Amino acid sequence: MRAIVISDTHGYYARLLDLISGLGDYDMLVHLGDGYRDIRLVKSHINADIVCVGGNNDYSSDNLPDSRIIEIAGERIYCCHGHKLGVREGVERLAEEALRNRCAYALYGHTHIVADETVGGVRCMNPGSIGYPVGGRAAIEITDDRGRANFNFIKL
């Protein structure tokens, strides 16, 4: 199992298409919000399951959920955009929400900043933004490493 996590494409679907074309095979693409329309535009080029959550700029996008939980290698991973949990001010509320949902990992977007920190025992990760990166752009690769989820940042 190989999943790719991205966020905040903000209309840059050509960058998204370049990205997904250059990543090789993967089983799941997770988009953490602010770019659902971009996913719809490149969907025919994606040969994987697609998981999306709504961001603060995903207006009227097929009633996307605010959060989703995915499972990779038996690990529950909380996914959201983060704007409703105040991630610009810190990830404490995000970590609490992940724990409330029995998740040891939380993936979020919104800030456009690549981040990886552990708060309250929850590893909180942000791939940054494809459309408007702040200080760099990345994707997160999650693989099943002998029954354990392995997280790796891929610089773009």
Side-chain angles (χ1 to χ4, degrees), residues 9-155:
T9 50
H10 286 286
Y12 286 89
Y13 61 88
R15 285 184 191 169
L16 174 59
L17 186 57
D18 286 345
L19 169 69
I20 61 176
S21 300
L23 287 173
D25 294 332
Y26 49 92
D27 305 294
M28 181 186 297
L29 178 69
V30 179
H31 193 294
L32 298 173
D34 283 358
Y36 180 67
R37 288 181 199 96
D38 306 330
I39 292 292
R40 287 191 352 221
L41 289 171
V42 301
K43 191 174 185 175
S44 64
H45 299 278
I46 300 171
N47 187 25
D49 293 333
I50 301 171
V51 174
C52 294
V53 295
N56 57 303
N57 290 302
D58 287 318
Y59 312 109
S60 304
S61 293
D62 299 332
N63 298 315
L64 289 172
D66 290 333
S67 65
R68 304 270 305 262
I69 296 170
I70 61 173
E71 192 168 312
I72 297 176
E75 300 279 4
R76 290 172 54 87
I77 304 164
Y78 184 81
C79 303
C80 71
H81 187 62
H83 61 295
K84 293 186 176 180
L85 295 172
V87 295
R88 285 198 194 278
E89 290 76 40
V91 295
E92 291 77 18
R93 287 177 49 204
L94 171 68
E96 289 171 6
E97 192 64 25
L99 284 173
R100 210 176 346 269
N101 283 280
R102 300 181 325 275
C103 298
Y105 303 94
L107 304 173
Y108 69 101
H110 190 56
T111 67
H112 297 202
I113 301 170
V114 177
D116 185 1
E117 62 184 300
T118 300
V119 173
V122 176
R123 186 173 177 193
C124 302
M125 293 166 276
N126 186 331
S129 170
I130 301 299
Y132 299 110
V134 177
R137 192 170 39 207
I140 299 172
E141 173 189 55
I142 310 170
T143 55
D144 183 338
D145 184 17
R146 295 184 298 252
R148 190 160 183 239
N150 184 42
F151 296 83
N152 183 39
F153 281 82
I154 303 169
K155 288 190 176 191

